[in-house]
């Protein structure tokens, strides 16, 4: 008789966004004529830019000829894309990242869930609270998080680092020592950012205690403030302790194409393992995992990613990002005018608001859906410190962003 990985059974309820989708579907079924504006899930709405479309067409045509047909992609990604990323995203910003330290994948969500596989079963993780649920849930599935407390919404073996208005939504160094530290800036869900000086403190701390930082930079394209780092590798010493996750979904609209990358410098080394291996690079472990479990992002998608680094691609993507940020500014300012306390929305496509009259985030979700026909994301779904907060995204159309704010202002 087979047995189960019973760690899955420890997970409370369904995945946050699956639960939201079910609630919205039930409401839509009961109110078939309702005009619902979805500002909950972080899915983009603008079409792919012309430079990307042109490169896709060209790559598809290549697949029709025996001379240019491509089968399996190289395990770690095509060199043309790895080089473009290393040069444009890192070396041009003064970050010493080599082409072979970039691993191409089908998205940051997959990598953020899978990266934990190269670490021991007994490592302890520290996460921001609120937090992107995948970081915790994937470690629960691996059996690292201990027991879940329904009352507190916390796992017994996870170090929670509260991110609140009192600390500017930037976590403080933990009092208990973690092995893995998950950081995401610009932050999902709060939309807040971290300065280079603050991020340097985390790099110094990780090197001091022997921890590894998993740094999710999926939203770096939305940064306009020159004092805000686009990469953790802008910090001294980060090559020795940080793994960075990158995504094409939010910067170039690839949510339907699926493309991302994980950067692991050769400098992150375990001097000696429990079984006696010496000077083991995390880079080699991820390469082994990649080669064993993954056949690579499709050639045509990687060519599309390469187009993002052309001069035309850069300019067109910059326009798309500006459009979403126009939405973010309108949503943030409109909510302020309506009397809400609001955060984020400046260097990020997410707006984080305080629920009115101290109602719970799920109560506000229901109120917003029923009275305004607007869908957002309850803050409590991101962790206990997210209670009494709510997330709206700027990834809809400008027209729907305007309409949503007008409805919220008119709620009674």
């Amino acid at each position: 008789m087979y047995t189960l990985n019973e760690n899955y059974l420890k997970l409370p309820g369904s995945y946050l966004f699956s639960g939201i989708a079910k609630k919205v579907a039930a409401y839509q079924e009961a109110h078939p004529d309702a005009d619902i504006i979805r500002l909950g899930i972080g899915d983009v709405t603008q079409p792919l830019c012309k430079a990307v479309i042109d490169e896709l067409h060209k790559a598809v045509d290549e697949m029709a000829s025996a001379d240019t047909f491509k089968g399996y992609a190289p395990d770690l990604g095509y060199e043309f894309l790895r080089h473009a990323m290393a040069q444009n995203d890192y070396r041009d910003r003064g970050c010493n990242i080599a082409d072979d330290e970039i691993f191409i994948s089908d998205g940051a969500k997959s990598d953020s869930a899978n990266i934990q596989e190269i670490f021991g079963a007994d490592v302890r993780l520290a996460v921001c609270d609120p937090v992107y649920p995948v970081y915790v849930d994937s470690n629960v599935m691996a059996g690292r998080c201990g027991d879940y407390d329904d009352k507190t919404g916390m796992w017994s073996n996870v170090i929670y680092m509260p991110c609140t208005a009192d600390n500017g939504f930037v976590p403080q160094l933990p009092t208990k020592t973690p092995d893995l530290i998950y950081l995401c800036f610009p932050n999902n869900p709060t939309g807040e950012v971290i300065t280079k000086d603050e991020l340097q403190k985390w790099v110094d701390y990780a090197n001091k205690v022997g921890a590894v930082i998993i740094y999710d930079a999926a939203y770096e394209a939305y940064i306009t403030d020159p004092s805000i780092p686009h990469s953790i590798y802008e910090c001294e010493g980060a090559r020795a302790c940080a793994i960075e996750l990158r995504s094409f979904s939010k910067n170039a609209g690839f949510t339907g194409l699926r493309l991302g990358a994980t950067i692991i410098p050769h400098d992150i080394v375990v001097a000696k393992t429990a079984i006696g291996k010496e000077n083991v690079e995390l880079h080699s472990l991820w390469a082994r995992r990649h080669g064993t479990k993954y056949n690579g992002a499709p050639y045509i998608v990687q060519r599309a990613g390469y187009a993002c680094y052309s001069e035309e691609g850069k300019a067109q993507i910059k326009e798309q990002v500006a459009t979403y940020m126009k939405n973010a500014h309108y949503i943030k300012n409109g909510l302020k005018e309506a009397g809400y306390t609001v955060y984020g929305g400046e260097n990020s496509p997410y707006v984080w608001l305080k629920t009115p009259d101290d109602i719970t985030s799920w109560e506000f979700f229901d109120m917003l859906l029923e009275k305004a026909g607007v869908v957002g994301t309850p803050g409590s779904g991101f962790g206990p410190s997210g209670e009494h907060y709510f997330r709206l995204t700027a990834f809809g159309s400008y027209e729907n962003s305007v309409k949503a704010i007008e409805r919220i202002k008119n709620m009674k």
Side-chain angles (χ1 to χ4, degrees):
M1 179 65 180
Y2 61 84
T3 60
L4 302 175
N5 177 354
E6 294 190 2
N7 293 308
Y8 278 73
L9 304 180
K10 295 181 180 180
L11 290 165
S14 61
Y15 181 57
L16 172 61
F17 297 104
S18 299
I20 290 172
K22 290 177 182 177
K23 287 192 69 122
V24 174
Y27 180 84
Q28 187 84 70
E29 184 177 355
H31 304 84
D33 297 327
D35 175 24
I36 297 175
I37 299 174
R38 290 171 168 81
L39 301 180
I41 191 169
D43 196 2
V44 296
T45 53
Q46 293 185 73
L48 297 170
C49 70
K50 185 177 185 302
V52 168
I53 290 295
D54 288 346
E55 192 69 20
L56 275 172
H57 282 298
K58 179 181 175 183
V60 169
D61 288 339
E62 288 183 60
M63 301 297 277
S65 169
D67 293 335
T68 52
F69 173 80
K70 299 290 191 298
Y72 289 124
D75 286 349
L76 310 185
Y78 283 99
E79 176 58 26
F80 60 78
L81 181 55
R82 299 170 84 194
H83 176 75
M85 289 194 73
Q87 188 64 50
N88 287 272
D89 292 336
Y90 295 101
R91 293 195 287 265
D92 286 352
R93 289 197 172 112
C95 304
N96 179 26
I97 294 296
D99 296 4
D100 75 341
E101 292 174 324
I102 294 186
F103 297 78
I104 303 301
S105 72
D106 60 355
K109 180 179 181 179
S110 300
D111 285 353
S112 66
N114 295 327
I115 193 68
Q116 50 79 26
E117 291 187 22
I118 64 174
F119 296 97
D122 59 346
V123 299
R124 191 166 192 187
L125 57 143
V127 298
C128 295
D129 174 28
V131 64
Y132 181 46
V134 172
Y135 307 155
V136 175
D137 288 0
S138 58
N139 279 282
V140 172
M141 293 171 180
R144 290 193 186 91
C145 296
D147 299 315
Y148 183 72
D149 187 327
D150 287 315
K151 293 181 179 179
T152 64
M154 294 181 175
W155 293 89
S156 61
N157 202 38
V158 174
I159 299 168
Y160 290 88
M161 304 180 295
C163 296
T164 66
D166 292 337
N167 60 19
F169 298 99
V170 174
Q172 306 302 299
L173 297 177
T175 54
K176 297 179 180 178
T177 303
D179 302 298
L180 291 181
I181 303 167
Y182 286 80
L183 298 177
C184 174
F185 290 100
N187 185 257
N188 178 15
T190 68
E192 291 296 309
V193 291
I194 192 169
T195 65
K196 184 177 178 180
D197 288 344
E198 282 293 324
L199 187 56
Q200 184 67 58
K201 293 178 183 178
W202 282 97
V203 171
D204 294 343
Y205 172 77
N207 280 322
K208 179 182 178 181
V209 303
V212 171
I213 297 172
I214 310 297
Y215 191 75
D216 189 342
Y219 303 95
E220 62 80 26
Y222 293 84
I223 296 171
T224 56
D225 185 337
S227 70
I228 305 302
H230 288 256
S231 167
I232 196 169
Y233 301 118
E234 295 178 40
C235 295
E236 185 178 353
R239 283 185 54 86
C241 68
I243 295 172
E244 186 163 284
L245 309 177
R246 286 289 180 123
S247 171
F248 285 77
S249 288
K250 304 306 192 296
N251 64 338
F254 279 33
T255 54
L257 284 186
R258 308 308 307 146
L259 188 65
T262 289
I263 295 80
I264 306 185
H266 289 286
D267 299 23
I268 311 178
V269 177
V270 177
K272 190 171 184 178
T273 71
I275 61 172
K277 296 284 185 178
E278 296 183 350
N279 299 320
V280 177
E281 294 185 4
L282 296 195
H283 181 283
S284 66
L285 300 185
W286 189 241
R288 185 67 169 89
R289 189 263 172 204
H290 230 50
T292 301
K293 292 191 172 186
Y294 188 58
N295 274 331
Y299 171 72
I300 60 174
V301 176
Q302 294 196 47
R303 291 302 310 188
Y306 179 68
C308 296
Y309 296 103
S310 67
E311 291 306 313
E312 297 83 0
K314 289 178 183 178
Q316 291 163 13
I317 288 169
K318 189 175 181 180
E319 288 181 8
Q320 287 190 333
V321 169
T323 296
Y324 291 131
M325 287 312 299
K326 179 182 177 182
N327 296 347
H329 294 155
Y330 187 90
I331 292 169
K332 182 172 186 176
N333 292 333
L335 290 170
K336 282 185 175 181
E337 291 171 3
Y340 290 90
T341 301
V342 192
Y343 307 92
E346 296 297 330
N347 294 281
S348 164
Y350 293 124
V351 176
W352 188 243
L353 64 111
K354 193 84 170 66
T355 59
D357 303 319
D358 210 34
I359 65 174
T360 70
S361 54
W362 276 108
E363 287 172 339
F364 187 68
F365 174 91
D366 292 335
M367 184 174 78
L368 208 61
L369 179 59
E370 293 168 6
K371 294 186 176 182
V374 174
V375 176
T377 308
S380 61
F382 297 101
S385 290
E387 184 57 280
H388 305 299
Y389 285 93
F390 201 79
R391 193 192 77 175
L392 293 176
T393 82
F395 290 120
S397 67
Y398 181 71
E399 293 73 20
N400 276 345
S401 298
V402 171
K403 189 188 299 185
I405 292 303
E406 291 306 309
R407 290 184 185 181
I408 292 172
K409 287 181 176 180
N410 293 328
M411 279 197 315
K412 294 181 181 179

